[in-house]
Amino acid sequence: MADDCHEAPNRHDSKLPLVDANTLVARSLARAGVDRMFGVVGIPVTSLANRAVALGIRFIAFHNEQSAGYAASAYGYLTGRPGVLLTVSGPGCVHGLAGLSNAAVNAWPMVMISGSCDQKDFGRGDFQELDQMAAVKPFSKFSAKATDIKQIPNCVFRVLDHAGSGRPGGCYLDLPSDVLHQTVTETEAEKLILDAETGREREVIRAIGNSEIEKAVSLLRHAERPLIVFGKGAAIARAENAVKKLVETTGIPFLPTPMGKGLLPDTHDLAATAARSLAIGKCDVALVVGARLNWLLHFGEPPKWSKDVKFILIDICDEEIELRKPWLGLVGDAKEVVERINKEIKDDPFCLGKSHPWVEAISKKSKENVSKMEVQLAKDVVPFNFFTPMRIIRDAIMGLGSPAPILVSEGANTMDIGRAVLVQTEPRTRLDAGTWGTMGVGLGYCIAAAVASPDRLVVAVEGDSGFGFSAMEVETLVRYQLPVVVIVFNNGGVYGGDRRSPEEISGPYKDDPAPTSFVPGAAYHTLIEAFGGKGYLVGTPDELKSALTESFTARKPAVINVTIDPYAGAESGRLQHKN
């Protein structure tokens, strides 16, 4: 959706105090409740960033718009309010598409604001000229272009409201350079903002009927093997208390998606994460809250799921219900719908109980699988495999108690193994590659987490390949003195360096490094030291424990370079079948 209004050029008495467009944008953002921005400044938006800072909006300046965009998208998820990205025109807008598309795919509220070339010179080869409204179209839920200064407040409020209402997503605001040089009087500026505020509209979600809630409860009540699945949609809806009440009232086992972890503690007695295959393969009714039946949940289809399973799908988006065609679709906010289910159950409660055969089966399988994992984790393997350092990191994080650190995780083996080993106990404390499986999000997510939750330590567990996408942003960590500890699993490349068979090493460039290889023994820890941060190189359990203790206590920017056996792990992680 796009909006492009046309009004007469502004005219005003030159004797009155004037407000320029940069100030008007900043004031509109501040009045809408924006207090953080991420971005890279330059022509024509440097003044806009400075005006925003002067009005009390904290601007976090990055080296690259991709990382800034990932930060804005994650900030939207963590706070529930649109994260704002500011970019320059042309290539800056293109770089920002990484964050905008990430917000779109993950359904996180975000607004990208980009300067653009002079309107009168568009089509003539102007500086950084690009049809940015067309460029953002595949990834933007709603786009607006202010073709005159008087449209700015309305455009600002509209993109913010569209980003955060209904199913959240990325929205776009285009600010031509000539518009940013226009002015209005102080009186006009205030009236424009007031009019935009009073004219705000939000997407309305249709209310579901009581009969649909009754059907959902009846299905759960009469199920022999019910399961509750929840994802990051439940997390952004702040549904944790409602979901906890539902789980503990009914005794139904639950399964979080990767970023749903922590909504209820991984250590909960009814957690089915360690018995995932059994849970999804044998359940007969699955209540899915704020999670899409996409590749992460095997599309809700056999052979992973039973062919007879009945899905009750809670989603804020009608289109998602139509696409998945569940047994029962409940359109609405995850928290509100689950609260209504709880209210319906309260009048006629039921509970499976610990001795229920289904609960016992899940519990037994979970304990078996956890025991097998712990046997593997108990070994101190040097040179490090992935399990030994992951266990040490898990124990160090658990030792911090509450508030739990926010964990950022990306990589193939690093993220896959970390998902199984690292324990989440609090909501919205895990950020990973998400719905798209995006590499390169790590440092942007770290910065967003530190800005959104300054009371929490941020711990990133990164593969060396994932770290490399945005490694320069460690300077940003140091510049803002953010409490972030980045742990790099350094195994010398993508999946682990050169894993080619002798038959694959041929051709005129056979002596080149393998496509998966990096420089062996890369000193990633020295990168942050160049900017005044703390770096550690570790290769033994004692060295890692010492580095974690020191860096966690200091709560200062640090990089821990963990040397991993290049032959540990597997190519493509758990997605080998897709490579």
Side-chain angles (χ1 to χ4, degrees), residues 74-385:
Y75 184 85
Y77 169 67
L78 292 168
T79 64
R81 296 177 284 114
V84 178
L85 167 67
L86 182 65
T87 85
V88 301
S89 50
C93 174
V94 171
H95 293 163
L97 291 179
L100 189 67
S101 59
N102 193 59
V105 170
N106 286 291
W108 294 346
M110 173 189 162
V111 169
M112 180 167 85
I113 302 174
S114 297
S116 59
C117 71
D118 282 14
Q119 295 175 91
K120 64 180 175 58
D121 292 326
F122 182 78
R124 303 171 63 202
D126 194 21
F127 175 69
Q128 295 189 335
E129 179 186 315
L130 174 69
D131 186 348
Q132 295 171 195
M133 294 290 281
V136 305
K137 189 174 181 179
F139 312 113
S140 178
K141 181 181 174 186
F142 174 85
S143 300
K145 182 172 185 173
T147 59
D148 183 88
I149 186 173
K150 292 182 179 179
Q151 298 169 15
I152 284 175
N154 187 50
C155 287
V156 168
F157 282 106
R158 291 187 75 186
V159 292
L160 289 168
D161 289 344
H162 276 281
S165 60
R167 164 165 280 178
C171 292
Y172 174 68
L173 174 59
D174 192 278
L175 299 174
S177 180
D178 54 301
V179 173
L180 290 174
H181 286 89
Q182 294 175 2
T183 58
V184 292
T185 65
E186 184 70 49
T187 303
E188 286 177 306
E190 182 56 33
K191 184 177 186 306
L192 289 167
I193 293 173
L194 186 60
D195 288 347
E197 277 185 307
T198 55
R200 297 177 79 172
E201 296 179 358
R202 308 277 291 183
E203 289 182 45
V204 178
I205 307 299
R206 71 172 177 85
I208 55 176
N210 288 334
S211 63
E212 293 170 286
I213 297 294
E214 291 167 3
K215 286 179 187 176
V217 172
S218 178
L219 273 171
L220 292 172
R221 184 189 306 278
H222 296 104
E224 294 181 10
R225 298 176 302 282
L227 180 68
I228 297 172
V229 179
F230 50 78
K232 58 182 180 289
I236 198 170
R238 271 52 182 177
E240 53 267 22
N241 291 334
V243 172
K244 183 175 187 288
K245 182 177 180 180
L246 177 61
V247 167
E248 296 183 348
T249 298
T250 62
I252 297 174
F254 68 87
L255 177 70
T257 65
M259 281 184 58
K261 281 165 63 71
L263 205 66
L264 269 67
D266 287 344
T267 52
H268 196 287
D269 286 345
L270 290 168
T273 306
R276 188 177 190 273
S277 295
L278 173 66
I280 68 175
K282 297 296 184 182
C283 70
D284 57 354
V285 173
L287 175 67
V288 182
V289 185
R292 287 171 279 181
L293 294 176
N294 56 20
W295 70 277
L296 287 164
L297 288 173
H298 313 289
F299 307 105
E301 296 174 348
K304 296 292 186 179
W305 294 84
S306 165
K307 63 181 177 61
D308 298 319
V309 63
K310 294 181 175 69
F311 285 106
I312 307 167
L313 187 56
I314 298 175
D315 199 281
I316 202 163
C317 181
D318 262 315
E319 288 80 3
E320 184 67 23
I321 301 291
E322 287 298 316
L323 174 66
R324 307 301 175 184
K325 294 179 171 52
W327 184 269
L328 178 63
L330 304 176
V331 179
D333 175 83
K335 178 183 176 183
E336 293 175 3
V337 175
V338 175
E339 284 176 342
R340 288 185 63 187
I341 289 173
N342 284 333
K343 186 177 180 181
E344 179 68 21
I345 291 173
K346 183 180 178 182
D347 295 334
D348 186 10
F350 68 93
C351 184
L352 300 188
K354 290 184 179 180
S355 61
H356 189 282
W358 175 235
V359 176
E360 283 190 335
I362 294 287
S363 177
K364 180 182 177 183
K365 178 56 71 174
S366 293
K367 289 174 181 175
E368 288 175 359
N369 289 342
V370 168
S371 295
K372 289 177 185 176
M373 176 73 79
E374 287 302 322
V375 169
Q376 201 167 6
L377 290 170
K379 303 170 185 174
D380 278 344
V381 178
V382 180
F384 278 148
N385 59 11

Side-chain angles (χ1 to χ4, degrees), residues 498-518:
D498 192 346
R499 296 184 173 218
R500 295 173 296 175
S501 66
E503 293 76 24
E504 291 177 299
I505 304 174
S506 61
Y509 302 105
K510 62 183 177 63
D511 293 329
D512 273 1
T516 54
S517 292
F518 297 153

